[in-house]
PDB file of all heavy atoms in Angstrom:
ATOM      1  N   ARG A 288    -212.602 138.406  43.665  1.00 95.00           N
ATOM      2  CA  ARG A 288    -212.166 138.557  42.302  1.00 95.00           C
ATOM      3  C   ARG A 288    -213.494 138.369  41.393  1.00 95.00           C
ATOM      4  O   ARG A 288    -213.367 139.001  40.347  1.00 95.00           O
ATOM      5  CB  ARG A 288    -211.213 137.461  41.951  1.00 95.00           C
ATOM      6  CG  ARG A 288    -209.798 137.802  42.620  1.00 95.00           C
ATOM      7  CD  ARG A 288    -209.222 139.106  42.302  1.00 95.00           C
ATOM      8  NE  ARG A 288    -207.806 139.232  42.857  1.00 95.00           N
ATOM      9  CZ  ARG A 288    -206.725 138.998  42.070  1.00 95.00           C
ATOM     10  NH1 ARG A 288    -206.890 138.633  40.821  1.00 95.00           N
ATOM     11  NH2 ARG A 288    -205.517 139.223  42.589  1.00 95.00           N
ATOM     12  N   HIS A 289    -214.415 137.629  41.805  1.00 97.00           N
ATOM     13  CA  HIS A 289    -215.495 137.320  40.894  1.00 97.00           C
ATOM     14  C   HIS A 289    -216.511 138.563  41.045  1.00 97.00           C
ATOM     15  O   HIS A 289    -216.772 139.013  42.262  1.00 97.00           O
ATOM     16  CB  HIS A 289    -216.280 136.106  41.217  1.00 97.00           C
ATOM     17  CG  HIS A 289    -217.130 135.598  39.994  1.00 97.00           C
ATOM     18  ND1 HIS A 289    -218.406 136.191  39.909  1.00 97.00           N
ATOM     19  CD2 HIS A 289    -217.010 134.714  39.070  1.00 97.00           C
ATOM     20  CE1 HIS A 289    -219.027 135.568  38.839  1.00 97.00           C
ATOM     21  NE2 HIS A 289    -218.100 134.706  38.349  1.00 97.00           N
ATOM     22  N   PRO A 290    -217.101 139.096  39.966  1.00 96.00           N
ATOM     23  CA  PRO A 290    -218.059 140.204  40.046  1.00 96.00           C
ATOM     24  C   PRO A 290    -219.245 139.894  40.942  1.00 96.00           C
ATOM     25  O   PRO A 290    -219.695 140.765  41.593  1.00 96.00           O
ATOM     26  CB  PRO A 290    -218.471 140.406  38.619  1.00 96.00           C
ATOM     27  CG  PRO A 290    -217.345 139.952  37.776  1.00 96.00           C
ATOM     28  CD  PRO A 290    -216.764 138.715  38.529  1.00 96.00           C
ATOM     29  N   TYR A 291    -219.590 138.652  40.986  1.00 96.00           N
ATOM     30  CA  TYR A 291    -220.855 138.311  41.824  1.00 96.00           C
ATOM     31  C   TYR A 291    -220.397 138.407  43.360  1.00 96.00           C
ATOM     32  O   TYR A 291    -221.075 138.999  44.134  1.00 96.00           O
ATOM     33  CB  TYR A 291    -221.243 136.875  41.562  1.00 96.00           C
ATOM     34  CG  TYR A 291    -222.367 136.385  42.374  1.00 96.00           C
ATOM     35  CD1 TYR A 291    -223.577 137.078  42.362  1.00 96.00           C
ATOM     36  CD2 TYR A 291    -222.224 135.259  43.266  1.00 96.00           C
ATOM     37  CE1 TYR A 291    -224.624 136.673  43.219  1.00 96.00           C
ATOM     38  CE2 TYR A 291    -223.282 134.849  44.093  1.00 96.00           C
ATOM     39  CZ  TYR A 291    -224.531 135.510  43.975  1.00 96.00           C
ATOM     40  OH  TYR A 291    -225.559 135.136  44.826  1.00 96.00           O
ATOM     41  N   THR A 292    -219.179 137.929  43.743  1.00 96.00           N
ATOM     42  CA  THR A 292    -218.637 138.054  45.021  1.00 96.00           C
ATOM     43  C   THR A 292    -218.583 139.535  45.449  1.00 96.00           C
ATOM     44  O   THR A 292    -218.942 139.952  46.552  1.00 96.00           O
ATOM     45  CB  THR A 292    -217.370 137.356  45.246  1.00 96.00           C
ATOM     46  OG1 THR A 292    -217.452 136.024  44.745  1.00 96.00           O
ATOM     47  CG2 THR A 292    -216.893 137.359  46.731  1.00 96.00           C
ATOM     48  N   GLN A 293    -218.028 140.334  44.541  1.00 94.00           N
ATOM     49  CA  GLN A 293    -217.906 141.709  44.776  1.00 94.00           C
ATOM     50  C   GLN A 293    -219.260 142.410  45.023  1.00 94.00           C
ATOM     51  O   GLN A 293    -219.358 143.336  45.880  1.00 94.00           O
ATOM     52  CB  GLN A 293    -217.200 142.386  43.592  1.00 94.00           C
ATOM     53  CG  GLN A 293    -215.732 141.943  43.457  1.00 94.00           C
ATOM     54  CD  GLN A 293    -215.081 142.254  42.103  1.00 94.00           C
ATOM     55  OE1 GLN A 293    -215.725 142.721  41.227  1.00 94.00           O
ATOM     56  NE2 GLN A 293    -213.767 142.052  42.003  1.00 94.00           N
ATOM     57  N   GLY A 294    -220.278 142.023  44.272  1.00 93.00           N
ATOM     58  CA  GLY A 294    -221.593 142.552  44.403  1.00 93.00           C
ATOM     59  C   GLY A 294    -222.163 142.137  45.660  1.00 93.00           C
ATOM     60  O   GLY A 294    -222.819 142.985  46.357  1.00 93.00           O
ATOM     61  N   LEU A 295    -222.012 140.986  46.183  1.00 93.00           N
ATOM     62  CA  LEU A 295    -222.525 140.488  47.453  1.00 93.00           C
ATOM     63  C   LEU A 295    -221.833 141.269  48.610  1.00 93.00           C
ATOM     64  O   LEU A 295    -222.620 141.823  49.511  1.00 93.00           O
ATOM     65  CB  LEU A 295    -222.230 139.038  47.678  1.00 93.00           C
ATOM     66  CG  LEU A 295    -222.964 138.012  46.809  1.00 93.00           C
ATOM     67  CD1 LEU A 295    -222.505 136.617  47.198  1.00 93.00           C
ATOM     68  CD2 LEU A 295    -224.544 138.046  47.141  1.00 93.00           C
ATOM     69  N   LEU A 296    -220.636 141.575  48.452  1.00 93.00           N
ATOM     70  CA  LEU A 296    -219.882 142.364  49.607  1.00 93.00           C
ATOM     71  C   LEU A 296    -220.358 143.741  49.545  1.00 93.00           C
ATOM     72  O   LEU A 296    -220.490 144.392  50.621  1.00 93.00           O
ATOM     73  CB  LEU A 296    -218.379 142.181  49.355  1.00 93.00           C
ATOM     74  CG  LEU A 296    -217.822 140.810  49.724  1.00 93.00           C
ATOM     75  CD1 LEU A 296    -216.360 140.810  49.250  1.00 93.00           C
ATOM     76  CD2 LEU A 296    -218.010 140.462  51.140  1.00 93.00           C
ATOM     77  N   ARG A 297    -220.533 144.409  48.329  1.00 89.00           N
ATOM     78  CA  ARG A 297    -221.046 145.727  48.312  1.00 89.00           C
ATOM     79  C   ARG A 297    -222.432 145.874  48.913  1.00 89.00           C
ATOM     80  O   ARG A 297    -222.793 146.939  49.416  1.00 89.00           O
ATOM     81  CB  ARG A 297    -221.035 146.226  46.909  1.00 89.00           C
ATOM     82  CG  ARG A 297    -219.627 146.664  46.367  1.00 89.00           C
ATOM     83  CD  ARG A 297    -219.817 147.478  45.079  1.00 89.00           C
ATOM     84  NE  ARG A 297    -220.479 146.766  43.991  1.00 89.00           N
ATOM     85  CZ  ARG A 297    -219.801 145.969  43.131  1.00 89.00           C
ATOM     86  NH1 ARG A 297    -218.483 145.901  43.159  1.00 89.00           N
ATOM     87  NH2 ARG A 297    -220.456 145.314  42.168  1.00 89.00           N
ATOM     88  N   ALA A 298    -223.208 144.824  48.836  1.00 86.00           N
ATOM     89  CA  ALA A 298    -224.537 144.860  49.305  1.00 86.00           C
ATOM     90  C   ALA A 298    -224.739 144.737  50.793  1.00 86.00           C
ATOM     91  O   ALA A 298    -225.800 144.933  51.352  1.00 86.00           O
ATOM     92  CB  ALA A 298    -225.433 143.789  48.556  1.00 86.00           C
ATOM     93  N   ILE A 299    -223.607 144.618  51.508  1.00 82.00           N
ATOM     94  CA  ILE A 299    -223.675 144.461  52.950  1.00 82.00           C
ATOM     95  C   ILE A 299    -223.986 145.878  53.467  1.00 82.00           C
ATOM     96  O   ILE A 299    -223.214 146.730  53.262  1.00 82.00           O
ATOM     97  CB  ILE A 299    -222.377 143.923  53.530  1.00 82.00           C
ATOM     98  CG1 ILE A 299    -222.208 142.491  53.076  1.00 82.00           C
ATOM     99  CG2 ILE A 299    -222.443 143.913  55.065  1.00 82.00           C
ATOM    100  CD1 ILE A 299    -220.895 141.812  53.510  1.00 82.00           C
ATOM    101  N   PRO A 300    -225.069 146.002  54.408  1.00 77.00           N
ATOM    102  CA  PRO A 300    -225.276 147.369  54.900  1.00 77.00           C
ATOM    103  C   PRO A 300    -224.138 147.827  55.799  1.00 77.00           C
ATOM    104  O   PRO A 300    -223.609 147.016  56.578  1.00 77.00           O
ATOM    105  CB  PRO A 300    -226.530 147.186  55.707  1.00 77.00           C
ATOM    106  CG  PRO A 300    -227.247 145.973  55.122  1.00 77.00           C
ATOM    107  CD  PRO A 300    -226.069 145.117  54.759  1.00 77.00           C
ATOM    108  N   PRO A 301    -223.681 149.043  55.618  1.00 74.00           N
ATOM    109  CA  PRO A 301    -222.510 149.597  56.536  1.00 74.00           C
ATOM    110  C   PRO A 301    -223.090 149.740  57.971  1.00 74.00           C
ATOM    111  O   PRO A 301    -224.307 149.991  58.161  1.00 74.00           O
ATOM    112  CB  PRO A 301    -222.209 150.824  55.906  1.00 74.00           C
ATOM    113  CG  PRO A 301    -223.416 151.337  55.120  1.00 74.00           C
ATOM    114  CD  PRO A 301    -224.084 150.099  54.700  1.00 74.00           C
ATOM    115  N   LEU A 302    -222.111 149.663  58.880  1.00 68.00           N
ATOM    116  CA  LEU A 302    -222.501 149.901  60.319  1.00 68.00           C
ATOM    117  C   LEU A 302    -222.748 151.418  60.560  1.00 68.00           C
ATOM    118  O   LEU A 302    -223.517 151.689  61.545  1.00 68.00           O
ATOM    119  CB  LEU A 302    -221.278 149.412  61.196  1.00 68.00           C
ATOM    120  CG  LEU A 302    -221.152 147.918  61.112  1.00 68.00           C
ATOM    121  CD1 LEU A 302    -219.879 147.529  62.022  1.00 68.00           C
ATOM    122  CD2 LEU A 302    -222.349 147.146  61.637  1.00 68.00           C
ATOM    123  N   SER A 303    -222.008 152.335  59.879  1.00 70.00           N
ATOM    124  CA  SER A 303    -222.203 153.751  60.112  1.00 70.00           C
ATOM    125  C   SER A 303    -223.458 154.205  59.430  1.00 70.00           C
ATOM    126  O   SER A 303    -224.048 153.696  58.600  1.00 70.00           O
ATOM    127  CB  SER A 303    -221.089 154.429  59.479  1.00 70.00           C
ATOM    128  OG  SER A 303    -220.899 154.190  58.059  1.00 70.00           O
ATOM    129  N   LYS A 304    -223.967 155.304  59.988  1.00 70.00           N
ATOM    130  CA  LYS A 304    -225.245 155.978  59.526  1.00 70.00           C
ATOM    131  C   LYS A 304    -224.973 156.509  58.126  1.00 70.00           C
ATOM    132  O   LYS A 304    -223.952 157.313  57.964  1.00 70.00           O
ATOM    133  CB  LYS A 304    -225.705 156.950  60.571  1.00 70.00           C
ATOM    134  CG  LYS A 304    -227.053 157.595  60.190  1.00 70.00           C
ATOM    135  CD  LYS A 304    -227.479 158.545  61.224  1.00 70.00           C
ATOM    136  CE  LYS A 304    -228.861 159.131  60.858  1.00 70.00           C
ATOM    137  NZ  LYS A 304    -229.398 160.119  61.883  1.00 70.00           N
ATOM    138  N   LEU A 305    -225.856 156.288  57.171  1.00 66.00           N
ATOM    139  CA  LEU A 305    -225.740 156.789  55.958  1.00 66.00           C
ATOM    140  C   LEU A 305    -226.488 158.195  55.745  1.00 66.00           C
ATOM    141  O   LEU A 305    -227.436 158.409  56.428  1.00 66.00           O
ATOM    142  CB  LEU A 305    -226.285 155.942  54.856  1.00 66.00           C
ATOM    143  CG  LEU A 305    -225.505 154.505  54.766  1.00 66.00           C
ATOM    144  CD1 LEU A 305    -226.282 153.597  53.921  1.00 66.00           C
ATOM    145  CD2 LEU A 305    -224.142 154.756  54.215  1.00 66.00           C
ATOM    146  N   PRO A 306    -226.015 159.007  54.903  1.00 74.00           N
ATOM    147  CA  PRO A 306    -226.710 160.242  54.649  1.00 74.00           C
ATOM    148  C   PRO A 306    -228.187 159.988  54.094  1.00 74.00           C
ATOM    149  O   PRO A 306    -228.398 158.968  53.488  1.00 74.00           O
ATOM    150  CB  PRO A 306    -225.905 160.999  53.512  1.00 74.00           C
ATOM    151  CG  PRO A 306    -224.598 160.339  53.591  1.00 74.00           C
ATOM    152  CD  PRO A 306    -224.820 159.021  54.140  1.00 74.00           C
ATOM    153  N   ALA A 307    -229.119 160.869  54.351  1.00 74.00           N
ATOM    154  CA  ALA A 307    -230.507 160.719  54.018  1.00 74.00           C
ATOM    155  C   ALA A 307    -230.547 160.557  52.537  1.00 74.00           C
ATOM    156  O   ALA A 307    -229.884 161.294  51.743  1.00 74.00           O
ATOM    157  CB  ALA A 307    -231.359 161.877  54.472  1.00 74.00           C
ATOM    158  N   GLY A 308    -231.301 159.616  52.046  1.00 71.00           N
ATOM    159  CA  GLY A 308    -231.516 159.425  50.628  1.00 71.00           C
ATOM    160  C   GLY A 308    -230.633 158.497  50.028  1.00 71.00           C
ATOM    161  O   GLY A 308    -230.730 158.203  48.815  1.00 71.00           O
ATOM    162  N   THR A 309    -229.539 158.019  50.679  1.00 72.00           N
ATOM    163  CA  THR A 309    -228.613 157.053  50.235  1.00 72.00           C
ATOM    164  C   THR A 309    -229.275 155.796  49.909  1.00 72.00           C
ATOM    165  O   THR A 309    -229.904 155.190  50.773  1.00 72.00           O
ATOM    166  CB  THR A 309    -227.424 156.931  51.127  1.00 72.00           C
ATOM    167  OG1 THR A 309    -226.797 158.145  51.361  1.00 72.00           O
ATOM    168  CG2 THR A 309    -226.322 155.931  50.619  1.00 72.00           C
ATOM    169  N   ARG A 310    -228.966 155.211  48.750  1.00 77.00           N
ATOM    170  CA  ARG A 310    -229.558 153.829  48.475  1.00 77.00           C
ATOM    171  C   ARG A 310    -228.459 152.795  48.544  1.00 77.00           C
ATOM    172  O   ARG A 310    -227.353 152.961  48.450  1.00 77.00           O
ATOM    173  CB  ARG A 310    -229.985 153.793  46.920  1.00 77.00           C
ATOM    174  CG  ARG A 310    -231.118 154.839  46.643  1.00 77.00           C
ATOM    175  CD  ARG A 310    -231.368 154.811  45.085  1.00 77.00           C
ATOM    176  NE  ARG A 310    -231.990 153.477  44.721  1.00 77.00           N
ATOM    177  CZ  ARG A 310    -233.212 153.226  44.693  1.00 77.00           C
ATOM    178  NH1 ARG A 310    -234.105 154.130  45.131  1.00 77.00           N
ATOM    179  NH2 ARG A 310    -233.557 152.031  44.271  1.00 77.00           N
ATOM    180  N   PHE A 311    -228.956 151.662  49.227  1.00 78.00           N
ATOM    181  CA  PHE A 311    -228.055 150.449  49.337  1.00 78.00           C
ATOM    182  C   PHE A 311    -227.654 150.003  48.015  1.00 78.00           C
ATOM    183  O   PHE A 311    -228.489 149.950  47.021  1.00 78.00           O
ATOM    184  CB  PHE A 311    -228.761 149.439  50.179  1.00 78.00           C
ATOM    185  CG  PHE A 311    -228.877 149.801  51.613  1.00 78.00           C
ATOM    186  CD1 PHE A 311    -230.095 149.811  52.190  1.00 78.00           C
ATOM    187  CD2 PHE A 311    -227.710 150.096  52.409  1.00 78.00           C
ATOM    188  CE1 PHE A 311    -230.315 150.176  53.513  1.00 78.00           C
ATOM    189  CE2 PHE A 311    -227.843 150.425  53.723  1.00 78.00           C
ATOM    190  CZ  PHE A 311    -229.090 150.423  54.352  1.00 78.00           C
ATOM    191  N   ALA A 312    -226.516 149.433  47.895  1.00 82.00           N
ATOM    192  CA  ALA A 312    -225.996 148.841  46.681  1.00 82.00           C
ATOM    193  C   ALA A 312    -226.701 147.508  46.475  1.00 82.00           C
ATOM    194  O   ALA A 312    -227.003 146.769  47.408  1.00 82.00           O
ATOM    195  CB  ALA A 312    -224.521 148.572  46.767  1.00 82.00           C
ATOM    196  N   THR A 313    -227.059 147.246  45.266  1.00 86.00           N
ATOM    197  CA  THR A 313    -227.748 145.943  44.963  1.00 86.00           C
ATOM    198  C   THR A 313    -227.157 145.310  43.688  1.00 86.00           C
ATOM    199  O   THR A 313    -226.444 145.971  42.986  1.00 86.00           O
ATOM    200  CB  THR A 313    -229.280 146.195  44.653  1.00 86.00           C
ATOM    201  OG1 THR A 313    -229.390 147.012  43.544  1.00 86.00           O
ATOM    202  CG2 THR A 313    -230.039 146.750  45.812  1.00 86.00           C
TER     203      THR A 313
END
């Protein structure tokens, strides 16, 4: 629920391969 917690979870790198040029969430 907290925006900080949501930001931390979004910043976890996914296990699947990302398309070239995709930037990680920060």
Side-chain angles (χ1 to χ4, degrees):
R288 294 300 188 97
H289 196 282
Y291 179 61
T292 309
Q293 294 167 352
L295 289 177
L296 291 171
R297 281 195 299 269
I299 298 175
L302 294 176
S303 57
K304 186 177 180 180
L305 295 175
T309 302
R310 297 176 65 89
F311 288 120
T313 61

